[in-house]
Amino acid sequence: MTNVGQLERKTQDRIVALFRDRLGYEYLGNFEEREENSNVEEEYLLPFLLRSGHSKALISKAIDKLKKCVNRPQKSLYDLNKETYSLLRYNAKEREKLGEHKHDVEFIDWNIQRIMILLLPKK
């Protein structure tokens, strides 16, 4: 048995535990060996974005942008990670129709107040 990747796996397990146990996220499991695995899981992302109040047209454009960002084999892994991080951190800026203002579509709920409350020790 090789030791390659064991340290990374331990780190990933700790991050999963933080998000699941302390921040209240649901862990869906390791999708690595799952059939039809995808970088963008629309099945889970779409309901979240709908709950956030975005229209289906805006959501569709934002998801397409995210999919295009993560599925470009001609780019280096570094560049793909940088662009994906930027999109996740600073949102997709999309418009429903030409001439309208762009709206921020957040793929992650960055509400720091909610996170801070969840980090408070349980009484």
Side-chain angles (χ1 to χ4, degrees), residues 19-118:
F19 275 81
R20 183 191 58 228
D21 303 338
R22 298 289 303 232
L23 299 178
Y25 284 79
E26 178 183 358
Y27 179 56
L28 301 174
N30 184 344
F31 285 8
E32 186 176 2
E33 301 296 328
R34 190 182 74 162
E35 287 186 34
E36 298 182 36
N37 192 15
S38 173
N39 292 327
V40 178
E41 297 286 337
E42 286 186 63
E43 175 185 346
Y44 302 105
L45 186 55
L46 183 61
F48 167 76
L49 293 175
L50 286 170
R51 282 192 310 271
S52 298
H54 301 296
S55 71
K56 287 186 179 183
L58 204 58
I59 290 170
S60 179
K61 289 181 179 187
I63 289 176
D64 284 345
K65 185 179 219 174
L66 181 61
K67 286 171 124 178
K68 286 176 188 172
C69 182
V70 301
N71 293 316
R72 289 188 286 179
Q74 70 276 17
K75 290 208 145 204
S76 72
L77 183 58
Y78 173 82
D79 288 335
L80 286 172
N81 284 338
K82 185 176 175 184
E83 288 179 29
T84 303
Y85 170 81
S86 181
L87 193 55
L88 294 176
R89 179 65 182 102
Y90 301 110
N91 311 323
K93 292 163 183 11
E94 296 294 327
R95 62 182 70 163
E96 288 189 51
K97 298 177 185 171
L98 218 58
E100 290 186 358
H101 291 289
K102 289 187 176 183
H103 300 274
D104 282 347
V105 178
E106 297 178 330
F107 295 109
I108 298 174
D109 181 359
W110 293 108
N111 184 344
I112 194 68
Q113 292 173 337
R114 183 169 99 17
I115 291 171
M116 292 301 288
I117 290 169
L118 290 170

